[in-house]
Amino acid sequence: MTTVTEPTTAVGKTAMFVETRVGASKMVREFGRKIFPQHWSFMLGEVALYSFVILLLTGTFLTFWFQPAMGELHYDGPWVPLQGVEMSEAYDSALVISMEIRGGLFIRQMHHWAALLFMAALSVHALRVFFTGSYRKPREINWLIGIALVALGMGAGFTGYSLPDDLLSGNGLRIIDGILKAIPLVGTYISFFLFGGEFPGIDIIARLYSLHIMIIPAMLIALIAMHMMFVVVHKHTHYAQAGATEKNVVGEPVMPTFAAKGGGFFFMIFALLSLISGVFTINPIWNYGPYDPSPVSAGTQPDWYIGWMDGVLRLMPGWGEFYIFGFPISMNILVAVLAAGVLFGAMAIWPFFEAWLLNDHEEHHIADRPRNNPTRTAIGVAAIVWYCVMWAAASGDLIATFFQMSLNDTIYILRTLFFVGPIIAYVVTRRIALGLQRKDREIVLHGFESGQIIRYPEGKFEERHTDLSEDKLWRLTSFSTPEYIPAQPGPDGQISKAEQRRGAIAKFFYEDRVAPVTKAELEAAHAAHGHHGVEGDDHKAVGGY
């Protein structure tokens, strides 16, 4: 029977109290044993997490001085150009934070830069998950959580930069009001309830403030907790390498190795954001003045993660309005909602669509190299090009000015790219991926070119090739490429219409395929060319065999 020695120090007694009530040691042991892959791309999620922590810290500081009120007053602060100008209490308090509170401008800019970094890291992390196929079974729910985090991050950013009630934020709110009112049947009611009356409403800033500091952050924290829980439950995906299998992750444990690295990484991000915030000005609200519906500033764009929705509004022709049963349908405004619905809807259904297309119901824990799934990679790049065209359109006036072009010509070019750009991106990316696969196959079968020329007794010249290292060979051979599966008959022996459609789509996507090198092919190549170089005759196995 094991006896437990009672602690005698205050720290020990406190630790024992927590342990007997919470069981913290068991949780620490379980989480501390989790293996974290060492590849740099897995740190993108950490960047997003640490940026969010900085957002919470800086946002808490700002709440002490910001006044979310629409009451009118006349400015009498130190910024001379605005003295005597009528403005809201919200805008006045934002100016006070920027110019009168010690460190206020630095914290406000850090909050804004951290928001941009959070969305950038979140977006690139989602792209890494997509291009490596890390959303596949059993991680579909975590993929959906990630999409929700991106959407909520956009909402948090928009509600945040709308709070100062300056000219730019007011124009952005006016655009949102127009989009809401364009929704058939219920749009005017949604706008009325959000703004508390006709735009700009009497308490819109207070409502946005509640969303920004309480509701949306609470939802983000809950989703981040769920995301981390699923990461622990399902474990990380990992790239193919020697010693790694579907169930065996090669990496380092969270405690103490990764925890130490993660702590240092957090302070590196904090230092980077501090440097940027102290050197580069962002959102100088004192230059724009308070919101006034009469002036409209040229050359202004929202933050990058919202700009693409503004861009698609600029691309849409003005004639996209028609009537259904007497109700106006303004597609020239609703196109922003439609584009967002297409983008997020496609992201949400893609894991299930791909599994249905490939009849794939297996679990996947090894991340793909993007080249090994040419169709998925090509579709992802096409979506990025589509997004970037809309993003560029938000700056169409600045592009036309900088390159001394006609604004109409700029819009026509971007409209063409809106449709043609993704198609070109898909075709080019797919061909590049297939070419890279064929090059990998050649390297596996023949080795690396050494640049050494040998001459045989009979006079024949041949270049000496060096064999691959075990890890390199494993990475180039231990994978599976999506294979086209023709339409299959059901239990009744008949091929359903849905199965015929699946087969036709799968044939279009996956018929052109480069298969991995088999063990027999590698042995035949070695027998024909012999072994020269790094591994010599000891190298006999292909990674997956």
Side-chain angles (χ1 to χ4, degrees):
M1 183 176 180
T2 303
T3 59
V4 179
T5 304
E6 288 292 332
T8 58
T9 64
V11 174
K13 291 180 178 179
T14 302
M16 180 60 73
F17 176 85
V18 173
E19 170 61 22
T20 55
R21 271 72 174 179
V22 181
S25 63
K26 182 178 180 181
M27 292 187 289
V28 171
R29 283 197 304 271
E30 290 296 322
F31 184 71
R33 286 200 299 263
K34 174 178 168 51
I35 302 299
F36 197 95
Q38 295 176 322
H39 195 271
W40 64 267
S41 64
F42 290 93
M43 298 303 293
L44 294 169
E46 306 305 309
V47 176
L49 178 62
Y50 301 152
S51 301
F52 182 70
V53 173
I54 295 172
L55 276 171
L56 293 179
L57 296 175
T58 54
T60 302
F61 175 90
L62 296 175
T63 58
F64 293 147
W65 285 279
F66 183 73
Q67 300 294 327
M70 296 287 287
E72 296 294 332
L73 53 81
H74 290 83
Y75 181 72
D76 61 353
W79 184 244
V80 176
L82 290 178
Q83 284 186 354
V85 175
E86 187 177 8
M87 60 184 62
S88 67
E89 295 178 65
Y91 184 63
D92 178 73
S93 65
L95 291 176
V96 169
I97 292 173
S98 300
M99 299 183 180
E100 301 181 50
I101 302 300
R102 187 180 297 274
L105 178 60
F106 173 77
I107 297 297
R108 190 172 74 80
Q109 295 196 153
M110 180 179 282
H111 189 69
H112 203 135
W113 281 116
L116 297 182
L117 181 60
F118 172 69
M119 288 302 300
L122 204 60
S123 301
V124 179
H125 177 60
L127 289 176
R128 197 275 302 173
V129 171
F130 177 82
F131 282 118
T132 60
S134 300
Y135 53 77
R136 293 172 294 179
K137 184 181 178 181
R139 297 175 178 83
E140 301 95 334
I141 295 178
N142 226 7
W143 171 251
L144 296 177
I145 291 174
I147 296 172
L149 284 172
V150 174
L152 283 174
M154 292 174 60
F158 178 79
T159 55
Y161 71 67
S162 296
L163 289 178
D165 196 32
D166 64 321
L167 181 62
L168 295 186
S169 65
N171 286 332
L173 281 175
R174 189 49 162 163
I175 294 173
I176 291 296
D177 177 58
I179 292 175
L180 292 177
K181 287 179 177 176
I183 299 175
L185 299 178
V186 298
T188 54
Y189 296 99
I190 296 175
S191 173
F192 181 86
F193 290 135
L194 176 63
F195 288 91
E198 182 58 38
F199 179 88
I202 57 174
D203 55 358
I204 180 60
I205 298 298
R207 297 183 181 198
L208 291 176
Y209 188 68
S210 297
L211 288 169
H212 184 69
I213 72 164
M214 181 173 61
I215 299 175
I216 295 180
M219 297 172 68
L220 282 170
I221 292 172
L223 287 179
I224 290 173
M226 292 174 61
H227 178 77
M228 298 299 294
M229 179 190 71
F230 280 117
V231 167
V232 173
V233 170
H234 298 311
K235 300 181 172 56
H236 270 88
T237 56
H238 50 282
Y239 293 104
Q241 63 185 97
T245 64
E246 284 286 356
K247 293 294 186 181
N248 180 33
V249 183
V250 174
E252 54 193 16
V254 171
M255 299 293 290
T257 311
F258 177 74
K261 289 183 178 180
F265 194 41
F266 169 78
F267 287 109
M268 290 175 62
I269 293 173
F270 195 95
L272 176 63
L273 286 173
S274 298
L275 176 64
I276 295 174
S277 303
V279 175
F280 299 102
T281 300
I282 188 169
N283 196 21
I285 58 173
W286 51 87
N287 286 341
Y288 310 129
Y291 176 64
D292 183 350
S294 57
V296 176
S297 296
T300 60
Q301 290 83 36
D303 285 338
W304 68 269
Y305 50 88
I306 297 291
W308 63 281
M309 297 183 70
D310 182 40
V312 74
L313 287 173
R314 302 189 188 199
L315 289 178
M316 184 68 187
W319 43 258
E321 184 171 291
F322 53 91
Y323 289 82
I324 297 180
F325 301 114
F327 293 98
I329 308 297
S330 300
M331 290 305 301
N332 51 339
I333 300 176
L334 284 175
V335 66
V337 179
L338 181 62
V342 169
L343 184 62
F344 283 97
M347 291 168 62
I349 68 173
W350 178 260
F352 310 98
F353 174 74
E354 185 181 82
W356 168 75
L357 206 60
L358 297 172
N359 273 337
D360 183 8
H361 306 291
E362 301 295 325
E363 289 191 3
H364 296 273
H365 301 282
I366 295 181
D368 292 334
R369 297 176 76 200
R371 67 182 64 180
N372 292 335
N373 195 315
T375 299
R376 177 205 297 147
T377 302
I379 290 175
V381 173
I384 292 173
V385 170
W386 187 63
Y387 175 94
C388 288
V389 169
M390 292 186 285
W391 185 18
S395 302
D397 52 344
L398 295 180
I399 294 174
T401 301
F402 183 82
F403 291 101
Q404 298 182 2
M405 297 172 56
S406 165
L407 178 59
N408 288 337
D409 291 343
T410 304
I411 295 300
Y412 290 144
I413 292 172
L414 290 171
R415 284 176 181 172
T416 303
L417 290 175
F418 180 84
F419 295 102
V420 178
I423 298 174
I424 296 175
Y426 174 85
V427 174
V428 172
T429 303
R430 194 163 185 271
R431 297 314 304 172
I432 291 175
L434 289 170
L436 290 173
Q437 280 188 289
R438 294 188 179 100
K439 180 62 176 178
D440 287 346
R441 184 179 178 85
E442 179 185 349
I443 290 174
V444 169
L445 293 176
H446 304 290
F448 288 110
E449 298 177 355
S450 67
Q452 300 175 1
I453 306 299
I454 59 175
R455 182 180 180 182
Y456 291 93
E458 64 272 18
K460 174 184 175 183
F461 289 91
E462 185 177 278
E463 182 181 16
R464 185 188 298 271
H465 285 70
T466 58
D467 291 339
L468 283 68
S469 66
E470 181 183 2
D471 188 70
K472 183 73 172 179
L473 184 62
W474 191 289
R475 186 157 59 93
L476 295 184
T477 57
S478 184
F479 69 92
S480 61
T481 56
E483 188 172 359
Y484 160 58
I485 301 176
Q488 303 294 310
D492 57 356
Q494 302 296 319
I495 300 178
S496 65
K497 293 291 184 182
E499 181 63 13
Q500 291 177 8
R501 286 192 293 270
R502 185 207 63 78
I505 299 173
K507 182 178 181 180
F508 173 77
F509 278 169
Y510 301 113
E511 187 177 30
D512 194 0
R513 173 177 180 263
V514 178
V517 176
T518 64
K519 184 177 181 180
E521 289 176 319
L522 184 64
E523 291 176 346
H526 282 176
H529 301 285
H531 290 270
H532 306 288
V534 177
E535 293 296 328
D537 293 331
D538 294 332
H539 196 182
K540 299 178 181 178
V542 178
Y545 304 102

